[in-house]
Amino acid sequence: IAHGVSRSSRATPLTAPSESQAPSTVRVGHGRCGKTMRFVMASVGRHTLAIIAAAGLAAGVVWYFSDPAFINFSCTNPEMAGTDKAAAMLHVSKGSQKGLCVDETTWNMCPGRIPAVWPLTREPVKALRLFKPESWQDQAAWQHLRAFLRTTDSQVLVGTPVSCDDTYDVKTWQQTAKLLAFLGRDRVMGLSVGNEIELNPTKECPDRLLHHFEEHWRRCALDLSVLGGGEFANLPMTSVMTTSILYSEDKSWSPQSMRIMDGSVPWPPETPWKLDFQSVFRRLVQTISAERFIFTFNIYPYFLPCPPAVSISCDQWMRDSLCFDDPARCITPKTAAGARYALQSFAQQLAGDAVSPLRMWIGEVGWSSPKANSLSDGQCRDWGTKECSGWSNLENLAHYYKDFMNWDLNLGTGLEPPEYAFYFTIRDSFNFHHPEHFGLCGSAPEDEGELKSACENRTAKFTPSLVE
């Protein structure tokens, strides 16, 4: 079972440029009575706009920005190499229950170019996942996102971070709440409080990480109950974790043996810290209704680039890591099945055998090509095996994405499938100058200077011919 690995470096927020231009149009009032006032803001910057807005609020005036024109962006019709024939479209199963994660490049540099259809398909994108409210584009990013959601009749899972810095977390949550109100309840599918917090640098706050997370969750839940006059009081809430918060009760690592970490084993391994997620979840499920509480897991077979035993060949391990069609063999659905069994056990502890299945989403899956800087062979050395040759080949990215789109979300007989599964991501990104190549659109940039051109590129990174 793939667990304990992720792209955790992405969770730390980037710092936006110190000064950005404000949008040039501000509306006063609303509805038919709204009047449009245009300001030339290039020289005065966003601080003047803040002063104007503050004056408007003091006078009881509602200020808001008009949405930009929707850009019907896609990267879905590349041509096969060496031919003039358009590539065939990939088959899609359960498309309305799959979503795209919005990467740093897209959110910071071209939020108006989110694909309206899944790359290499004709399937409309009906769900997005956003990791944070801040963007280098400031208010313009929010406008583009709202225009996308309204035009495509889609929804977004909005994230707010949990770190060891309470001041930053509170400030960002305030921004997140403003974004929620800006988008409107009908365009938001849920709030994610934290992403992979179990992979935070625990040496910074090992003794208070889970306590801080629980406090922040309660703060967000309380604020949601009154946000927009109670409009968001029924909004689903989740916290996205990796499956490293699960452990095997009998050490067999079968899906049926998986349980939520209860503090009985060290985490991270070979450290003195023991994180009792089971107790935390037991308290948090009491804070909101069962219908609103969702367990979400990120699953990345990509970060296990070697067989877990010398008896397993690289060919077999690669096939199992890329496929989705057999929950008994394929690593992604098999790992998700382990999460589902863990939730079954947890639900029985809460309410006995009569309890309904707990809600579950998959927050991220994906494959990197070229090789991600964060891919490590440390686990391989522990297992006594070696990284499989060609692990980060473009053919493997194409294969993984193709099989994901064809996946019917089945986890095996008798198991409730996840309600949603999100794919990471639209474009390649650089985080703290380290490249991530999980993107589906555009060619892989060699340096950060090429990211802007990636925004304009309407060509998918690969064609279906790679997986025929």
Side-chain angles (χ1 to χ4, degrees), residues 273-291:
W273 304 307
K274 296 181 178 181
L275 302 182
D276 187 356
F277 281 95
Q278 197 169 119
S279 295
V280 172
F281 283 134
R282 189 176 291 112
R283 291 189 293 270
L284 291 186
V285 294
Q286 308 299 322
T287 63
I288 59 177
S289 65
E291 294 76 17

Side-chain angles (χ1 to χ4, degrees), residues 15-53:
T15 302
S18 59
E19 193 71 26
S20 61
Q21 293 182 353
S24 60
T25 302
V26 181
R27 285 190 177 178
V28 184
H30 57 278
R32 295 182 179 180
C33 297
K35 299 180 180 180
T36 299
M37 301 176 62
R38 296 188 178 273
F39 300 88
V40 179
M41 303 299 297
S43 61
V44 294
R46 62 187 176 196
H47 300 296
T48 298
L49 181 58
I51 295 172
I52 296 172

Side-chain angles (χ1 to χ4, degrees), residues 44-87:
V44 294
R46 62 187 176 196
H47 300 296
T48 298
L49 181 58
I51 295 172
I52 296 172
L57 289 173
V61 180
V62 177
W63 300 76
Y64 65 95
F65 304 112
S66 61
D67 287 342
F70 170 69
I71 301 173
N72 190 18
F73 184 88
S74 68
C75 54
T76 188
N77 289 307
E79 293 185 348
M80 292 183 181
T83 74
D84 294 328
K85 182 180 179 181

Side-chain angles (χ1 to χ4, degrees), residues 391-405:
W391 187 256
S392 300
N393 284 352
L394 190 58
E395 289 83 359
N396 285 347
L397 167 59
H399 193 159
Y400 190 81
Y401 174 66
K402 172 180 177 288
D403 282 13
F404 169 78
M405 294 308 298

Side-chain angles (χ1 to χ4, degrees), residues 154 167 404:
S154 53
T167 301
F404 169 78

Side-chain angles (χ1 to χ4, degrees), residues 289-344:
S289 65
E291 294 76 17
R292 293 178 60 198
F293 198 100
I294 300 169
F295 291 85
T296 306
F297 298 95
N298 293 344
I299 301 174
Y300 278 100
Y302 174 77
F303 285 104
L304 293 174
C306 52
V310 294
S311 60
I312 302 174
S313 70
C314 263
D315 286 345
Q316 177 185 343
W317 183 247
M318 194 172 293
R319 287 194 301 269
D320 293 350
S321 298
L322 295 172
C323 68
F324 284 80
D325 59 344
D326 183 0
R329 176 178 63 88
C330 302
I331 303 302
T332 299
K334 186 176 181 179
T335 303
R340 176 53 80 188
Y341 277 113
L343 294 185
Q344 283 185 357

